[in-house]
Amino acid sequence: QLTSLEDLSLADNSISVIPPEIGNLVHLAELNLKGNNITVVPVAIGQLSNLTLLSTDTDKLTSPPKEIVDAGTSVMVDYLRRLFESKVTGVLDMSNLALWSVPEEIVDLKNLVAMSIAGNHIVHIPSSICNLSCLASLLMDHNQIAALPPTIGALGSVQQLALDFNQLTSLPSQFGDMTSLVKLTLSNNLLKVLPQSIGNLGNIRTLDVSDNQLHSLPQTIGFMGLMAELNARNNQLTTVPTNIGDCASLRELDLSQNNIITLPLEIGRLTKLRKLLLNSNKLASVPPSIGALTMLQELNLAENPLTGLPTELGNIQKLKVLIVDSDAVGSVPGAQKMDEDDHDATMSSSPRKGVKTQQADGASVMESLQRMFHAKKSGFLDLSGMGLNSLPPEVSTLSSLTQLSLDNNLFVETGSLAGLRLLVRLSICHNQLMKLHPSFEMLVSLKELSLSHNEFTVFPDEILTLTGLKKLAMDHNLLTMLPPAMGNMPSLRKVKLHSNDIRVPPREVNLQGTSVMLAYLKALYDGTKAEKLDLSGFGLLDLPIEVCRLTFLVSLNISNNQIRNLKPEVSFLTKLRELKAGHNQLIHVPVEIEALSLLQCLELQSNLLNAIPCELATMAGLRVLEIHGNPIHSPPSMVIENGLPAVIEYLQQLYRIRSTKKSDFGGMGLTAFPVEVCIHVELQDLSVADNKISVMPGAIQSLVNLTALNFDSNLLTSLHPAIRQLASLRVLSLEDNMLDSLVPVIGKLTELRILKLSNNKLKALPSTIGTLGRLREIYLGNNQLENLPMAIGGLTSLNVLVLVDNKLVNLPAECGYLTNLTALSLVGNPITALPLEIGQLDLLRQVTLDDGLLQTPPREVVIRGTTAMMDYLRKISKSRTTRTLDLSCMGLWHFPVEVSRLKYLTSLHLTGNLLAELDPLIAELSGIVDLSLGDNKLKAVP
């Protein structure tokens, strides 16, 4: 009744029990119980909230525990207070009191409905805990409990049991008797196995076994049909029991940070699941049944070696969060990297592996998977704009697909499409495709294919096998040629190829439309099989280079096109026997056509050819040459009119220039000079004799290496001044023409040795003729020359001078300078006197002339022959220096008039002649001191 008592000392007595009524001393501040036999401090002291000092013999106390007593009055009072209050409330909180064991007095509190001993150092749970049969909540987490007593199963009323952060290695089989459990947390222990009896916990809603060492979950887990949350994170699980599918109420399932290799198909039965965490495992695949989890909102598959995702994921319309590694599932649509500025979301670290992985854009992945899933129903799959760089393997499994769009992605190669045999339309535009997967050949139903805006450089062979293809779009690529086999695609009707650099077929063919283009390719394809190629009527502008590569061709028809040039590569067609190129616009035939040595028929009619290549002359087997309807100048028309042999002969003369440097166009009936020879600067010997050429072209000046030129028997009236450029010319023959003059520039031909001008109408020679100092022979017969220029004396190397049948009356005295002259022909000229200077020509051995009118030398000397005549003239010539003239025994009939003009003479001998009289003109020789007239027939002296 001493309720106001503040200080009470009961020390040094024999008290063994303190009555519970001590709790009524509410004002008590100090209580001394030392020196007694007290072993238990009554819990009623817990009511003394003002108590600041409690003195006891600690070594005798059994309750409170020693660790509580040692902590001081306040802790001990607090401990007792909690015990006292629990008797009233049924709730006991002994957490965080540093307890080493479960206080014995607790197990007597049979009315407890909730107890927490969390946050202590408890190692052992007494078997007597089973006495707390009314417990509904038992929190024992954050201790050091190593084992649970089997009697724990007797706690049949417990609904919440927390055993987290202890040292448990196993659970007793009786654990399954706690059938009232709703929430069980066992995380952060050392559990390696769960007892099969755990399946008896049929009322459980939450089970947390995370951060243990579990290798498996018991099959009986499927009996927990009411379980809504299961956390098995960070264990060593390798499999998931198939009975997991029986946990039909499961909403959250965390199996992350394990070693799970596969998931059972039964996981698809968890239709109420909202959250599924499977990250940091060893999953290579996810079962398609996961698509049945239509309530799923969060799925984490990061840090797994996944090779793909099932398209059935696309059926989960409510999925808001999908986490998956971009590297692991790079083939899944949308597996592009997340933005770098979203670092927290992008980089996830695995404590177990110590590595970082970059995650994919889950939203894009889900969008793609949803498309793929619905494609199974509709037959149409649109994966456009998903950032794909390879085809998801799942796509090839959609065998019912009829339409597939992969536009606006990052494909370089498509990947396998082997399973899409029903595909009718396929579009892969705006990518980076360079080739197709071989499986394209298996798209047997494909009718429309769009590959626009890619990077194809070579037309894919796989397309050629698509026999049912009707439409093909490959515009905006890098194609340069189409294969001939494309023309053999039976169903193809429409092709788009613009914005490529296609050269095969030629652009002019492609512009005419798909039908013409395919016909062209088919012609090429057929040509490769039959050795005959017909490309007539395709509007070609050039001979396609691809044709030149068909070296096996025997017949080629490219007529009725617009071809302007045959490529030099035509020479590759060495087996060709027939070439039809008529009705084109050819302006040139390449010299390389020479390689077609087996050619028998060549049609070039109705073109724009100016010339036929001389290389045709080498075609020994050529039997047909059609060249009418061309403005041909070479060969000339008169040659062409004479037929193929004449043409070949003409061309042979052009062709032989290369090997012999000679050419003879004589007798071909030419009316014009074959100017085509002028391009052969190497030509040295040229004859155009016996034709009807009236003009020498200026182009002749290019033949700078010409040494012999024969223009005989033509109709030339003049020479072109360009002849001056023929500086190497040694022989020039212009006989039998109609020349009436020579151009002065002929004097530039200083290398000339022989000049033939007979049978022309020359009336005079230019004075420049005297510059031809190396000329040895000159033929001027049958002209109309009346005189020779004095400059003729410059021809100091001349051996032969023919002047027959002209109108010469005399020769210039300068002829005496022709010191190398050996033959002189003057027949047919009205010459009366030869210049006495001819006597200086010591080498002259032959002189022919008409003596009818000749007075000098006298006729009687001339008829005795050249020797007598030259002896006569030579003596007169020498008298100029000796002043003595000895004409003895010369057979003179008359006194030579020309002697009377030699007034310088001092001695004259006319002995042994036939003189009958002396001409009075002898009196002109007034300087004579010695005159001999003996042995003549003189009858008188004047």
Side-chain angles (χ1 to χ4, degrees):
Q1 300 299 319
L2 305 176
T3 56
S4 298
L5 193 63
E6 295 180 359
D7 186 349
L8 175 60
S9 176
L10 298 173
D12 299 319
N13 285 289
S14 299
I15 301 172
S16 58
V17 177
I18 301 296
E21 288 79 8
I22 197 171
N24 296 330
L25 305 180
V26 296
H27 296 288
L28 195 63
E30 292 185 12
L31 175 60
N32 188 347
L33 297 176
K34 284 187 175 185
N36 286 283
N37 297 318
I38 299 172
T39 58
V40 176
V41 177
V43 295
I45 291 180
Q47 302 177 67
L48 307 179
S49 58
N50 292 316
L51 191 65
T52 59
L53 179 60
L54 174 60
S55 300
T56 63
D57 294 322
T58 58
D59 54 337
K60 297 179 180 180
L61 291 178
T62 58
S63 178
K66 183 177 185 298
E67 55 268 26
I68 296 297
V69 175
D70 291 344
T73 300
S74 60
V75 174
M76 185 164 52
V77 171
D78 179 49
Y79 172 84
L80 295 172
R81 177 185 57 77
R82 297 185 188 192
L83 285 174
F84 180 80
E85 291 177 352
S86 68
K87 293 181 178 182
V88 178
T89 63
V91 177
L92 176 60
D93 181 6
M94 286 290 173
S95 60
N96 301 305
L97 291 177
L99 295 172
W100 288 99
S101 61
V102 177
E104 294 179 1
E105 56 269 27
I106 290 179
V107 297
D108 295 328
L109 302 176
K110 297 180 180 181
N111 63 329
L112 286 180
V113 295
M115 182 176 74
S116 174
I117 54 174
N120 288 288
H121 305 296
I122 298 171
V123 175
H124 175 70
I125 301 297
S127 298
S128 57
I129 198 170
C130 62
N131 295 333
L132 305 177
S133 58
C134 294
L135 276 179
S137 174
L138 177 56
L139 306 181
M140 296 188 288
D141 54 286
H142 292 84
N143 280 284
Q144 298 180 26
I145 302 171
L148 296 177
T151 56
I152 198 169
L155 301 179
S157 299
V158 174
Q159 298 179 13
Q160 179 180 3
L161 177 59
L163 289 166
D164 313 77
F165 293 94
N166 279 286
Q167 301 294 317
L168 294 172
T169 58
S170 63
L171 298 177
S173 60
Q174 294 82 356
F175 200 85
D177 296 337
M178 302 175 69
T179 55
S180 296
L181 272 178
V182 174
K183 182 176 182 180
L184 173 60
T185 57
L186 291 163
S187 66
N188 291 278
N189 278 280
L190 302 175
L191 294 173
K192 295 183 178 181
V193 65
L194 295 177
Q196 292 292 332
S197 62
I198 201 170
N200 297 333
L201 308 180
N203 290 310
I204 204 160
R205 305 295 196 274
T206 301
L207 175 59
D208 186 354
V209 291
S210 61
D211 296 288
N212 278 282
Q213 299 176 19
L214 296 173
H215 290 278
S216 63
L217 296 176
Q219 285 286 346
T220 56
I221 201 169
F223 298 145
M224 299 179 178
L226 299 179
M227 183 167 55
E229 180 179 351
L230 172 59
N231 188 348
R233 180 187 70 249
N234 195 22
N235 278 279
Q236 299 177 22
L237 300 176
T238 57
T239 60
V240 178
T242 56
N243 287 5
I244 192 76
D246 295 331
C247 300
S249 300
L250 208 57
R251 291 173 176 264
E252 294 186 14
L253 175 58
D254 188 349
L255 296 172
S256 62
Q257 298 183 32
N258 280 283
N259 297 315
I260 300 173
I261 299 174
T262 60
L263 292 177
L265 293 175
E266 289 76 7
I267 200 168
R269 292 162 54 192
L270 304 179
T271 55
K272 294 183 180 181
L273 205 61
R274 263 73 167 174
K275 183 176 182 180
L276 176 57
L277 305 181
L278 295 166
N279 50 294
S280 301
N281 277 284
K282 296 181 179 181
L283 292 172
S285 63
V286 177
S289 60
I290 200 171
L293 307 182
T294 55
M295 303 299 290
L296 198 63
Q297 298 179 7
E298 180 179 349
L299 174 60
N300 192 336
L301 294 168
E303 298 182 30
N304 278 285
L306 290 170
T307 57
L309 292 179
T311 56
E312 286 75 10
L313 273 176
N315 189 43
I316 307 176
Q317 300 295 321
K318 294 185 178 182
L319 194 63
K320 297 178 181 178
V321 179
L322 172 61
I323 303 176
V324 60
D325 296 341
S326 59
D327 291 340
V329 289
S331 62
V332 176
Q336 63 266 27
K337 299 175 182 178
M338 298 178 67
D339 294 337
E340 292 183 0
D341 54 1
D342 190 9
H343 182 78
D344 292 338
T346 303
M347 305 303 291
S348 62
S349 178
S350 170
R352 183 171 50 134
K353 298 180 181 179
V355 295
K356 290 185 176 181
T357 59
Q358 194 156 13
Q359 297 169 359
D361 183 353
S364 298
V365 173
M366 276 309 300
E367 180 184 355
S368 173
L369 292 173
Q370 288 171 359
R371 295 183 187 186
M372 293 172 66
F373 178 77
H374 293 297
K376 289 185 176 181
K377 299 179 179 179
S378 66
F380 173 68
L381 175 58
D382 183 1
L383 294 179
S384 302
M386 299 299 292
L388 304 177
N389 55 27
S390 61
L391 188 69
E394 296 83 354
V395 172
S396 62
T397 66
L398 304 178
S399 58
S400 61
L401 272 188
T402 58
Q403 298 183 52
L404 174 60
S405 176
L406 299 170
D407 299 341
N408 295 290
N409 283 292
L410 303 172
F411 287 116
V412 175
E413 183 182 359
T414 58
S416 177
L417 294 171
L420 307 182
R421 291 178 176 269
L422 300 180
L423 204 61
V424 175
R425 292 185 179 90
L426 174 59
S427 180
I428 321 179
C429 303
H430 294 277
N431 279 276
Q432 301 172 21
L433 285 176
M434 293 185 285
K435 61 181 180 178
L436 297 179
H437 194 273
S439 61
F440 252 75
E441 299 178 357
M442 305 180 72
L443 303 182
V444 293
S445 301
L446 200 63
K447 289 181 171 53
E448 296 183 19
L449 176 60
S450 297
L451 298 172
S452 306
H453 294 273
N454 279 286
E455 297 182 8
F456 286 103
T457 58
V458 177
F459 189 89
D461 289 339
E462 292 79 6
I463 294 179
L464 302 176
T465 64
L466 305 178
T467 55
L469 196 65
K470 293 183 177 181
K471 295 181 180 180
L472 173 63
M474 290 194 72
D475 52 284
H476 294 88
N477 276 280
L478 303 173
L479 297 175
T480 58
M481 65 179 295
L482 301 177
M486 185 176 173
N488 213 36
M489 298 178 69
S491 303
L492 197 58
R493 296 292 180 270
K494 186 174 182 180
V495 181
K496 290 176 62 178
L497 292 165
H498 62 85
S499 301
N500 281 283
D501 188 20
I502 293 179
R503 299 169 189 173
V504 180
R507 183 173 182 271
E508 59 269 21
V509 173
N510 297 333
L511 289 176
Q512 297 179 62
T514 300
S515 59
V516 175
M517 180 190 71
L518 293 177
Y520 175 88
L521 292 172
K522 180 170 176 54
L524 283 181
Y525 182 82
D526 293 342
T528 60
K529 306 295 182 182
E531 298 182 346
K532 293 183 179 181
L533 178 57
D534 186 354
L535 294 180
S536 59
F538 279 104
L540 297 173
L541 299 178
D542 284 295
L543 175 63
I545 188 63
E546 62 271 19
V547 173
C548 299
R549 297 190 179 102
L550 305 178
T551 55
F552 51 82
L553 283 181
V554 173
S555 175
L556 173 60
N557 186 353
I558 53 173
S559 59
N560 294 293
N561 285 290
Q562 301 178 39
I563 299 173
R564 294 182 63 84
N565 289 290
L566 293 179
K567 296 183 182 296
E569 290 79 2
V570 72
S571 62
F572 299 165
L573 306 176
T574 55
K575 296 183 179 180
L576 211 59
R577 285 176 169 77
E578 181 181 57
L579 175 57
K580 296 181 179 181
H583 300 280
N584 278 284
Q585 298 183 20
L586 289 174
I587 60 175
H588 172 68
V589 177
V591 297
E592 288 79 4
I593 201 170
E594 178 181 3
L596 310 186
S597 58
L598 300 179
L599 206 61
Q600 297 177 0
C601 175
L602 176 59
E603 296 184 5
L604 297 170
Q605 71 271 22
S606 300
N607 278 283
L608 302 175
L609 296 172
N610 291 318
I612 300 299
C614 64
E615 287 73 17
L616 295 187
T618 65
M619 299 177 183
L622 193 63
R623 298 292 180 267
V624 177
L625 176 61
E626 295 289 347
I627 55 176
H628 60 271
N630 284 283
I632 291 178
H633 301 308
S634 176
S637 59
M638 68 286 302
V639 174
I640 296 174
E641 291 170 359
N642 291 331
L644 180 60
V647 171
I648 295 299
E649 181 184 2
Y650 183 90
L651 297 176
Q652 283 175 342
Q653 294 304 319
L654 289 174
Y655 186 79
R656 70 192 291 255
I657 294 175
R658 301 176 183 176
S659 57
T660 66
K661 300 182 181 180
K662 296 180 180 181
S663 189
D664 185 357
F665 293 92
M668 292 188 180
L670 303 179
T671 59
F673 182 84
V675 292
E676 54 267 44
V677 302
C678 296
I679 64 174
H680 297 282
V681 294
E682 73 276 16
L683 187 61
Q684 296 180 0
D685 190 337
L686 172 62
S687 174
V688 291
D690 299 314
N691 285 292
K692 299 177 181 180
I693 301 171
S694 59
V695 177
M696 177 182 287
I700 202 170
Q701 65 182 339
S702 63
L703 302 177
V704 293
N705 291 306
L706 203 62
T707 59
L709 176 59
N710 187 347
F711 251 101
D712 293 349
S713 301
N714 278 283
L715 302 175
L716 290 178
T717 58
S718 63
L719 301 182
H720 197 285
I723 200 172
R724 67 184 293 175
Q725 301 297 333
L726 306 184
S728 299
L729 202 62
R730 290 172 173 253
V731 178
L732 175 59
S733 185
L734 297 165
E735 295 181 336
D736 296 303
N737 278 281
M738 303 177 67
L739 297 171
D740 57 8
S741 64
L742 292 180
V743 289
V745 295
I746 199 169
K748 298 292 185 179
L749 306 179
T750 56
E751 292 294 323
L752 208 59
R753 303 296 196 272
I754 299 175
L755 177 59
K756 297 182 178 183
L757 293 166
S758 301
N759 299 307
N760 279 284
K761 297 181 179 182
L762 296 174
K763 296 180 180 179
L765 297 178
S767 59
T768 55
I769 196 80
T771 62
L772 304 179
R774 297 182 179 179
L775 194 64
R776 294 177 181 176
E777 300 177 18
I778 184 169
Y779 300 88
L780 294 165
N782 196 19
N783 277 284
Q784 300 177 22
L785 295 173
E786 296 179 354
N787 54 63
L788 297 178
M790 293 184 294
I792 200 168
L795 305 180
T796 56
S797 298
L798 198 64
N799 301 137
V800 179
L801 175 58
V802 178
L803 294 166
V804 299
D805 297 321
N806 277 283
K807 298 180 179 181
L808 295 172
V809 177
N810 53 52
L811 297 179
E814 286 75 12
C815 286
Y817 295 123
L818 305 179
T819 55
N820 285 297
L821 196 65
T822 61
L824 174 62
S825 180
L826 295 169
V827 176
N829 283 282
I831 293 178
T832 58
L834 293 178
L836 299 177
E837 287 77 8
I838 286 182
Q840 303 174 33
L841 307 181
D842 295 338
L843 299 179
L844 189 60
R845 295 291 182 268
Q846 181 180 355
V847 179
T848 58
L849 44 72
D850 295 330
D851 57 358
L853 300 176
L854 193 63
Q855 298 177 5
T856 304
R859 183 174 180 271
E860 56 270 32
V861 174
V862 173
I863 62 177
R864 292 175 60 191
T866 300
T867 302
M869 182 173 58
M870 288 305 299
D871 186 37
Y872 175 84
L873 293 173
R874 193 172 292 115
K875 288 180 178 183
I876 293 178
S877 177
K878 289 182 179 180
S879 69
R880 292 179 178 178
T881 56
T882 63
R883 296 187 180 187
T884 298
L885 177 59
D886 185 357
L887 294 178
S888 302
C889 301
M890 294 295 294
L892 296 174
W893 296 343
H894 301 286
F895 181 76
V897 177
E898 59 270 20
V899 174
S900 64
R901 300 188 188 102
L902 306 179
K903 296 180 180 181
Y904 55 81
L905 288 177
T906 60
S907 176
L908 175 61
H909 298 272
L910 295 171
T911 305
N913 284 291
L914 300 173
L915 296 175
E917 60 180 359
L918 287 178
D919 194 305
L921 291 176
I922 196 172
E924 298 293 326
L925 302 177
S926 57
I928 290 289
V929 295
D930 182 9
L931 176 61
S932 176
L933 296 170
D935 196 14
N936 278 284
K937 296 181 178 183
L938 289 173
K939 297 179 180 180
V941 177

